[in-house]
Amino acid sequence: MSVKPSTPITLGVIIGNRDFFPDKLVGECRADLLEAFQKAGVKPIMLDESTTKLGGVETFQEAQKCAELFRKHADEIMGILVVLPNFGDEKGIAETLKWARLDVPVLVQAYPDDLNRLDVARRRDAWCGKISVCNNFYQFGIKYSLTTKHVVHPSDPSFHTDLLNFMATCRVVKGLRNVRIGAIGARPGGFNTVRYSEKILQRNGISVVTVDLSQILGNANKLTAADQSVKDRLDAIKAYTPTGRTPDDKLVQIAKLDVVLNDFMAEHSLDATAIQCWTSLQQNYGCNVCTSMSIMSENMLPSACEVDVTGTLSMYAMQLASGSPSALVDWNNNYADDESKCVLFHCGNWAKSFLPDIEISTAPILGTSVGEENTYGALAGRTPASPLTFGRISTDDPKGIIKAYVGEGALTDDALNTFGNRAVAQIDNLQGLMQYVCRNGFEHHVVMNASKTAGILKEAMENYMGWEVYSH
């Protein structure tokens, strides 16, 4: 699992120390860390070398000083890195986190010893100290993450990867605990599959803001082609995608709806949306909303069909993990007789990142019931080969929990002669995955992201959010 460095994030840093180990190891550690942080894009909040002995934490008094520093920067700090250049004082480190009261992810790193330098002057024993620190965290009820290697030097490439993944975990946890999702319209009557519990979501920090679709469509109908806001959105849409054979009046309809959706998101400070489409929008307004949804998702404001609130929550989580857009898809078709491949499909609202051949089109399946002329705004396009992380978050109302599954595979360039937004996925033990999805009552919607971030998502959702997560 790995991600590219995203925007810099702030980490609180605790350098553990133990009085009967050489202090110079703490000073060397600080230099190592600053180099690693610069490479990874970390802004560290750490004790000054003059505030405690070399800026380390050992005694309860030093723990209090470090906790006070962290509390001053509580709004910035997204995670804590615990570093052990020697055995460290497990009580001082645990007390720091207890008194800081930050409730953020914690990564524990420990230095390796040099086999040829196990003398009193260079001996570290951090291998053992890390176990003691983790034991104390467990006792204190502090959740924490581990490096891939039990002991690792900050200059090791695996630690760089661990640090990037930890930063992504921090982004996911902070984002999920504060996300605001707009539920625009009622769940389509024929889609029991997208039912969810607002109350379970709210208990986990996830807020849902609802609005009736009639209010959105009423506001859109008040706009005209002459309004500057509509002209501006029309220009943005034409700059975003070729419009194909879409009539001008339909493009204006799409642009008017886009203005209202953007205004609604801004008014309520929304991070994501789930929109009623099938089939009220086509029958009562005369177009699809897919283009607007695609633009939002491409701009990291994910939008899901059919008021699938936990679907767009899944999109948001994957976006936070990878730093790239997500797409809501149907587990839709077998791929001939290849048991490890399937077709992913939707009418046409995937972010442009997935559609190099993007074009505004219609939704032929939907058009059979509402008239294809009322479905302009759906996007056409084929997703090429790329890495794949897939998954789904769902509220399990009978159990009163949030559950999820995540996994990785690949999108392929296999031939696929159909319409809409489409892709071919190859996933190991796909048949077993479908058994799991069906037996555990998951939705027909899944989310895809062009990354390898399933491990990050599992760590964030299972370890820190406390959700039930199956890793395929």
Side-chain angles (χ1 to χ4, degrees):
M1 66 176 185
S2 63
V3 292
K4 296 178 181 178
S6 188
T7 54
I9 72 168
T10 300
L11 297 181
V13 182
I14 303 172
I15 301 177
N17 195 15
R18 199 77 173 239
D19 57 2
F20 44 81
F21 287 89
D23 290 336
K24 63 182 179 182
L25 298 175
V26 177
E28 294 173 5
C29 165
R30 181 180 290 269
D32 293 337
L33 289 176
L34 292 176
E35 186 175 337
F37 292 158
Q38 185 176 14
K39 184 179 178 184
V42 172
K43 177 187 174 184
I45 302 294
M46 54 203 301
L47 286 169
D48 187 84
E49 291 170 286
S50 60
T51 306
T52 64
K53 187 169 62 174
L54 297 175
V57 172
E58 181 177 357
T59 67
F60 181 63
Q61 288 72 29
E62 291 172 342
Q64 287 181 304
K65 290 180 180 179
C66 190
E68 182 182 0
L69 174 67
F70 288 173
R71 284 198 301 272
K72 287 180 180 177
H73 296 273
D75 290 342
E76 300 173 59
I77 293 174
M78 291 176 62
I80 301 289
L81 174 64
V82 173
V83 182
L84 299 174
N86 58 37
F87 190 99
D89 189 283
E90 68 264 30
K91 286 179 64 178
I93 293 168
E95 292 285 3
T96 300
L97 293 180
K98 174 186 174 182
W99 290 98
R101 299 186 299 272
L102 295 184
D103 191 25
V104 295
V106 178
L107 177 64
V108 185
Q109 177 269 354
Y111 270 72
D113 269 303
D114 186 334
L115 195 59
N116 298 315
R117 303 179 78 177
L118 289 175
D119 55 353
V120 175
R122 295 294 304 180
R123 187 184 180 102
R124 297 181 184 274
D125 290 6
W127 178 290
C128 189
K130 179 176 179 178
I131 299 171
S132 297
V133 167
C134 293
N135 173 272
N136 274 260
F137 284 172
Y138 190 87
Q139 291 185 46
F140 278 62
I142 297 168
K143 296 175 181 177
Y144 53 93
S145 299
L146 302 171
T147 52
T148 304
K149 298 178 181 178
H150 182 63
V151 291
V152 61
H153 194 277
S155 64
D156 190 296
S158 77
F159 179 71
H160 177 68
T161 299
D162 288 338
L163 194 54
L164 292 182
N165 290 338
F166 178 67
M167 292 163 66
T169 297
C170 293
R171 288 197 302 269
V172 175
V173 172
K174 182 174 182 179
L176 290 178
R177 285 175 174 169
N178 297 280
V179 63
R180 292 173 57 80
I181 299 173
I184 299 172
R187 169 182 57 79
F191 284 82
N192 276 0
T193 185
V194 294
R195 285 173 166 173
Y196 68 98
S197 169
E198 277 192 53
K199 293 181 179 179
I200 294 175
L201 292 179
Q202 191 65 72
R203 183 58 65 95
N204 286 266
I206 300 156
S207 300
V208 179
V209 178
T210 62
V211 65
D212 196 89
L213 187 62
S214 64
Q215 185 175 332
I216 297 295
L217 299 186
N219 289 339
N221 281 324
K222 292 174 185 176
L223 297 172
T224 70
D227 289 316
Q228 189 59 47
S229 59
V230 176
K231 292 179 179 179
D232 291 344
R233 292 314 300 171
L234 191 56
D235 289 342
I237 288 167
K238 290 179 177 178
Y240 180 77
T241 173
T243 58
R245 58 185 179 88
T246 309
D248 289 343
D249 62 326
K250 294 297 183 181
L251 289 173
V252 170
Q253 285 286 89
I254 295 166
K256 287 160 59 177
L257 187 57
D258 199 46
V259 169
V260 175
L261 289 172
N262 277 272
D263 288 348
F264 177 72
M265 290 196 72
E267 179 185 355
H268 295 282
S269 300
L270 300 180
D271 303 293
T273 52
I275 303 176
Q276 179 184 356
C277 173
W278 194 291
T279 56
S280 177
L281 198 62
Q282 294 77 15
Q283 292 173 325
N284 296 299
Y285 188 70
C287 72
N288 268 39
V289 70
C290 300
T291 300
S292 296
M293 298 171 77
S294 174
I295 294 172
M296 288 189 283
S297 295
E298 183 71 15
N299 290 327
M300 310 300 266
L301 297 167
S303 189
C305 315
E306 294 146 12
V307 201
D308 187 354
V309 167
T310 50
T312 201
L313 178 65
S314 309
M315 294 172 72
Y316 188 62
M318 287 195 187
Q319 167 188 300
L320 291 167
S322 67
S324 64
S326 306
L328 186 82
V329 310
D330 283 349
W331 289 118
N332 214 68
N333 313 89
N334 59 293
Y335 189 79
D337 57 357
D338 191 328
E339 294 186 358
S340 69
K341 293 179 182 177
C342 67
V343 175
L344 306 178
F345 174 84
H346 234 219
C347 299
N349 70 336
W350 297 357
K352 185 164 71 170
S353 294
F354 294 97
L355 306 173
D357 56 343
I358 189 171
E359 182 178 83
I360 297 179
S361 184
T362 58
I365 295 177
L366 186 56
T368 60
S369 60
V370 300
E372 192 168 351
E373 70 279 2
N374 293 315
T375 67
Y376 281 102
L379 295 171
R382 165 65 197 268
T383 302
S386 71
L388 170 66
T389 293
F390 62 84
R392 171 82 203 190
I393 299 168
S394 182
T395 57
D396 190 323
D397 300 22
K399 293 182 179 179
I401 63 168
I402 296 180
K403 63 184 181 183
Y405 66 89
V406 292
E408 294 175 354
L411 298 176
T412 75
D413 283 330
D414 289 303
L416 183 61
N417 183 25
T418 188
F419 49 83
N421 288 174
R422 55 208 186 271
V424 177
Q426 182 167 26
I427 298 167
D428 290 343
N429 189 21
L430 177 60
Q431 302 303 312
L433 173 62
M434 291 300 100
Q435 290 272 332
Y436 184 87
V437 167
C438 290
R439 289 191 182 279
N440 288 277
F442 279 98
E443 296 80 353
H444 69 292
H445 288 162
V446 66
V447 172
M448 68 176 183
N449 191 280
S451 66
K452 294 285 188 178
T453 50
I456 292 165
L457 291 160
K458 180 177 172 64
E459 180 73 2
M461 295 190 296
E462 184 175 71
N463 190 14
Y464 293 105
M465 299 302 293
W467 300 347
E468 186 179 284
V469 181
Y470 166 68
S471 180
H472 183 68

